Amino acid sequence: MSTNIQPFDTISTPLGNCYVYTIHSSFINRLGSFDCGEKEQNEFIRRLAVGHYIAGINHTFLLICDNDLAGFVSFSSYSYAFAEGFIGKIREAMKEEFNRRGLPHEFNISFKKLPVILLGQLGIDKRYQGVGLS
């Protein structure tokens, strides 16, 4: 592993400490042997993840245990556009709920789109499935 790539986080697992890294081109040599048993996830991590990250399509995190790629997860940013009139319905439902609970409230929903994070791809290598990583 390149010495200039630092883990994003360290997590304690049943296998000991594992490390979370943001995907980087220096990990390419570890991606080819990944096999979670699902073709779509295998193809994503082996061939697409680095390019998607560089292009800004998504952000992929790798779980490295015992110097192996044990798993990965990718996230994408998105915004959900509400249908016409839906904001008013949300506002009214919230007011009703606050009133029902006797809670003070003063709020305004002024957005037309709600920012969200989408879970794109997720995979745990077969060698690490069933050991408490997910």
Side-chain angles (χ1 to χ4, degrees):
M1 180 178 323
S2 176
T3 57
N4 63 348
I5 305 297
Q6 296 297 312
F8 178 78
D9 200 2
T10 302
I11 59 172
S12 184
T13 73
L15 302 173
N17 284 342
C18 292
Y19 304 94
V20 178
Y21 289 88
T22 298
I23 197 163
H24 187 273
S25 59
S26 65
F27 290 105
I28 288 177
N29 62 339
R30 297 174 192 223
L31 306 179
S33 63
F34 182 85
D35 183 10
C36 69
E38 295 293 331
K39 183 178 179 179
E40 182 178 347
Q41 284 75 22
N42 290 341
E43 286 298 307
F44 172 79
I45 197 63
R46 291 175 187 166
R47 298 184 329 100
L48 302 173
V50 172
H52 282 200
Y53 176 68
I54 291 169
I57 295 171
N58 61 32
H59 199 96
T60 300
F61 293 95
L62 306 175
L63 181 63
I64 306 293
C65 299
D66 287 333
N67 222 22
D68 286 330
L69 175 59
F72 74 92
V73 63
S74 71
F75 298 99
S76 300
S77 58
Y78 186 72
S79 60
Y80 178 79
F82 292 105
E84 187 67 33
F86 192 70
I87 296 292
K89 291 178 182 178
I90 292 174
R91 187 179 298 115
E92 290 307 312
M94 289 175 71
K95 284 181 183 179
E96 286 177 20
E97 184 64 20
F98 275 64
N99 287 336
R100 185 182 71 74
R101 294 179 183 217
L103 298 171
H105 60 282
E106 186 175 322
F107 53 87
N108 182 17
I109 301 174
S110 59
F111 52 84
K112 295 192 189 268
K113 292 184 176 181
L114 178 65
V116 296
I117 295 176
L118 298 176
L119 171 62
Q121 299 282 344
L122 170 70
I124 301 291
D125 192 282
K126 286 179 182 179
R127 297 170 293 165
Y128 293 93
Q129 292 177 7
V131 297
L133 293 182
S134 53

